[in-house]
Amino acid sequence: MHSLFRVLFAFVCLVGTGVFAYSETDCNPINQTCPADAALGTEHTWWFNSTLDDTLWNMTTGDIDYTSTGADFSIKTENASTLLVSNFYIFFGVMEVHAKMAKGAGIISSVILQSDDLDEIDWEWVGYNTSAVQSDFFGKGNTTTSDRGGIHPVANADTEYHNYTSYWDKDRLEWWIDGTKVRTVNYSEPLTVYGKNYPQTPCKVKMSIWPVGIKGQSIGNIEWGGGYVNWTDVPFTMSVQRLRVKDFHSGKEYKYDGKTGTYESIEVVSGNSTAKQEIEKTPSKTLAQKWDDLSEGVHIGVYCGAAAVGVIAFGAFGWWCHRQRKNGRLQRALDDGQNGAELKSLEAYKLQWRQSEWGQKSYQQVPNT
Ligand SMILES: *[C@@H]1O[C@H](CO)[C@@H](O)[C@H](O)[C@H]1NC(C)=O
Ligand SMILES: *[C@@H]1O[C@H](CO)[C@@H](O)[C@H](O)[C@H]1NC(C)=O
Ligand SMILES: *[C@@H]1O[C@H](CO)[C@@H](O)[C@H](O)[C@H]1NC(C)=O
Ligand SMILES: *[C@@H]1O[C@H](CO)[C@@H](O)[C@H](O)[C@H]1NC(C)=O
Ligand SMILES: *[C@@H]1O[C@H](CO)[C@@H](O)[C@H](O)[C@H]1NC(C)=O
Ligand SMILES: *[C@@H]1O[C@H](CO)[C@@H](O)[C@H](O)[C@H]1NC(C)=O
Ligand SMILES: *[C@@H]1O[C@H](CO)[C@@H](O)[C@H](O)[C@H]1NC(C)=O
Ligand SMILES: *[C@@H]1O[C@H](CO)[C@@H](O)[C@H](O)[C@H]1NC(C)=O
Ligand SMILES: *[C@@H]1O[C@H](CO)[C@@H](O)[C@H](O)[C@H]1NC(C)=O
Ligand SMILES: *[C@@H]1O[C@H](CO)[C@@H](O)[C@H](O)[C@H]1NC(C)=O
């Protein structure tokens, strides 16, 4: 019900065909005094094949299903939706998502940047057309007109990962597909053409799949979505392989000075962002680093009586660790263990395993289990 409410609330902001602003915001700095926004303050690539760090990401609606190639955002039941929101903001920057859209009339896949005062930069895939993506932007949630959207051809957008990149600075917005720039909006254009609508305040990343083709919607909405959702076709799935986000500022947080919502009014508070600290703390998910992660986990194996077992058991243990890790439980154990003194004493053990042929074999097999 919560998600449906969110979607329905968003519908209220829609005027005309193909204009859809995501209207959720906790505190709008244009109307209120709000807490500072936590900055990303760095650049990072998230691979969506393993559990996202929940201090950086908030799955506010629905679940993610992780696969070996990425994460599936699915609508599995009638009227369901899925929304992932970053806990960090960027104040100008780059967002590069490698995604496969969901196929199906009335289903919208989206990856957007959105600020607290409803500036917005969008990629949206409308499920009836698997050969196109739409670009769009909003300023201060102004949906008076429906003329900001763009439609761009993409081959097999539902079955192949493509690189959708948004570039955003104070002078211009660009949308790129697989290395080709498909659209530019200069700062001055929205000013002269659309009112004061250039997105210019710190934005979060939001990823969502939701149904627009449901009863109670305007003809305009239903048409934009390509008709009603056929609920016998569930699940509808958008997949995300990876996401690179670059913040053009490197501070700790962003404060609105006053209620103008202009970029000049944004104060960049210096310091290391908590997101950056978290990223630097969290092991990356490369194969080599995963090996290290598993090795650090050997101390847990002591609990399991690892000292008593042979190399075959190590293989099984590696598999077990991998499973646990997928479930996010090992991650916590590792985090706990990172400060543990027993870790150092197991360095030799770790080395032995790394050099052992059997260890290598079980390591190689881990990704396939
Ligand atoms: C913020 O103020 C504007 C006009 O000043 C108003 O239209 C809008 O509804 C207000 N939003 C909130 C969340 O209060
Ligand atoms: C996650 O989002 C939900 C819904 O917006 C919110 O209630 C909750 O406080 C958020 N959690 C964190 C850790 O930010
Ligand atoms: C999908 O979008 C592309 C690009 O705009 C367009 O050429 C094609 O005709 C559209 N297909 C459908 C089924 O509307
Ligand atoms: C994705 O596209 C952007 C923009 O062209 C480019 O900078 C980036 O390197 C591309 N990413 C990959 C992995 O090719
Ligand atoms: C945007 O600005 C660039 C130079 O800053 C200019 O070359 C380009 O023509 C402008 N585009 C539009 C659509 O006005
Ligand atoms: C909202 O957009 C409309 C049309 O695009 C424009 O006329 C109006 O000035 C804008 N409103 C604000 C507050 O910028
Ligand atoms: C889904 O939403 C539509 C429109 O609000 C409603 O008519 C329908 O009963 C809902 N279906 C379910 C299963 O909740
Ligand atoms: C819905 O999809 C099912 C299975 O794909 C199909 O048999 C049925 O005709 C579709 N219903 C409508 C109204 O298109
Ligand atoms: C930021 O972190 C670096 C180490 O990663 C440290 O050298 C530096 O002093 C920190 N800066 C601030 C402002 O805390
Ligand atoms: C996720 O994918 C990346 C890139 O292909 C890879 O380096 C990493 O090992 C994978 N992680 C897992 C847990 O499969």
Side-chain angles (χ1 to χ4, degrees):
M1 280 321 287
H2 187 212
S3 60
L4 178 59
F5 178 76
R6 196 190 299 278
V7 169
L8 292 177
F9 182 47
F11 287 148
V12 174
C13 295
L14 189 140
V15 182
T17 305
V19 182
F20 203 100
Y22 296 77
S23 57
E24 183 219 358
T25 182
D26 293 332
C27 179
N28 190 331
I30 298 303
N31 302 51
Q32 294 159 266
T33 302
C34 302
D37 291 338
L40 174 60
T42 186
E43 175 176 10
H44 189 65
T45 297
W46 285 269
W47 289 89
F48 278 57
N49 53 5
S50 63
T51 316
L52 290 169
D53 182 336
D54 64 11
T55 65
L56 300 174
W57 295 98
N58 189 344
M59 196 71 220
T60 65
T61 310
D63 303 305
I64 288 183
D65 297 314
Y66 294 98
T67 71
S68 58
T69 55
D72 288 345
F73 293 70
S74 297
I75 293 178
K76 295 172 183 167
T77 57
E78 188 170 338
N79 295 347
S81 65
T82 299
L83 177 65
L84 175 71
V85 182
S86 69
N87 291 335
F88 56 79
Y89 292 71
I90 61 169
F91 182 33
F92 299 124
V94 176
M95 179 181 75
E96 170 185 333
V97 66
H98 295 246
K100 291 192 283 196
M101 65 174 281
K103 179 182 180 174
I107 300 292
I108 309 299
S109 305
S110 59
V111 180
I112 71 167
L113 290 168
Q114 189 189 53
S115 74
D116 291 344
D117 62 6
L118 303 176
D119 284 350
E120 190 175 310
I121 302 159
D122 297 351
W123 286 107
E124 284 180 314
W125 299 261
V126 180
Y128 76 93
N129 190 341
T130 57
S131 306
V133 62
Q134 300 191 6
S135 60
D136 212 347
F137 68 95
F138 295 92
K140 311 292 172 261
N142 185 342
T143 53
T144 309
T145 56
S146 56
D147 48 3
R148 301 177 192 84
I151 299 185
H152 315 284
V154 196
N156 306 317
D158 60 331
T159 55
E160 293 169 5
Y161 285 114
H162 291 276
N163 172 356
Y164 303 92
T165 298
S166 330
Y167 174 93
W168 172 49
D169 69 19
K170 67 180 177 53
D171 299 318
R172 67 189 193 281
L173 269 176
E174 293 171 357
W175 286 263
W176 294 71
I177 303 171
D178 295 331
T180 301
K181 187 164 65 178
V182 296
R183 185 177 182 193
T184 305
V185 170
N186 289 340
Y187 179 84
S188 59
E189 288 171 61
L191 273 178
T192 52
V193 185
Y194 310 115
K196 201 174 176 181
N197 280 334
Y198 187 85
Q200 54 194 284
T201 48
C203 284
K204 286 183 165 181
V205 177
K206 300 190 176 186
M207 298 187 183
S208 179
I209 171 172
W210 48 274
V212 70
I214 58 178
K215 285 198 186 82
Q217 296 316 306
S218 70
I219 297 293
N221 288 350
I222 308 270
E223 274 179 2
W224 177 56
Y228 285 103
V229 176
N230 182 342
W231 291 110
T232 62
D233 290 342
V234 291
F236 301 103
T237 302
M238 162 177 84
S239 303
V240 175
Q241 180 200 50
R242 61 175 137 159
L243 173 77
R244 177 173 68 97
V245 186
K246 180 173 186 175
D247 191 342
F248 282 170
H249 289 88
S250 57
K252 181 179 171 56
E253 54 192 22
Y254 302 119
K255 281 185 180 162
Y256 286 72
D257 180 10
K259 298 188 165 64
T260 58
T262 61
Y263 68 81
E264 293 96 334
S265 75
I266 303 300
E267 182 195 339
V268 180
V269 180
S270 64
N272 290 320
S273 74
T274 50
K276 185 173 177 227
Q277 288 167 15
E278 180 69 15
I279 286 163
E280 285 168 2
K281 185 188 100 184
T282 306
S284 301
K285 305 299 190 272
T286 64
L287 213 55
Q289 282 164 319
K290 190 167 73 175
W291 162 258
D292 288 339
D293 291 353
L294 288 171
S295 302
E296 283 159 15
V298 166
H299 69 283
I300 297 169
V302 171
Y303 298 168
C304 310
V309 300
V311 284
I312 292 164
F314 272 112
F317 175 64
W319 175 85
W320 176 81
C321 285
H322 179 67
R323 291 297 299 262
Q324 294 299 97
R325 187 182 166 71
K326 274 193 159 172
N327 295 336
R329 288 193 292 270
L330 181 66
Q331 188 58 57
R332 277 193 286 279
L334 286 175
D335 289 347
D336 292 341
Q338 261 158 15
N339 302 318
E342 71 268 37
L343 197 60
K344 280 207 164 59
S345 71
L346 283 161
E347 277 295 319
Y349 219 7
K350 169 179 157 178
L351 216 64
Q352 208 175 4
W353 188 18
R354 189 193 290 275
Q355 287 162 354
S356 115
E357 192 194 340
W358 279 98
Q360 286 293 343
K361 275 185 183 159
S362 49
Y363 167 51
Q364 298 290 348
Q365 285 159 12
V366 165
N368 302 325
T369 50

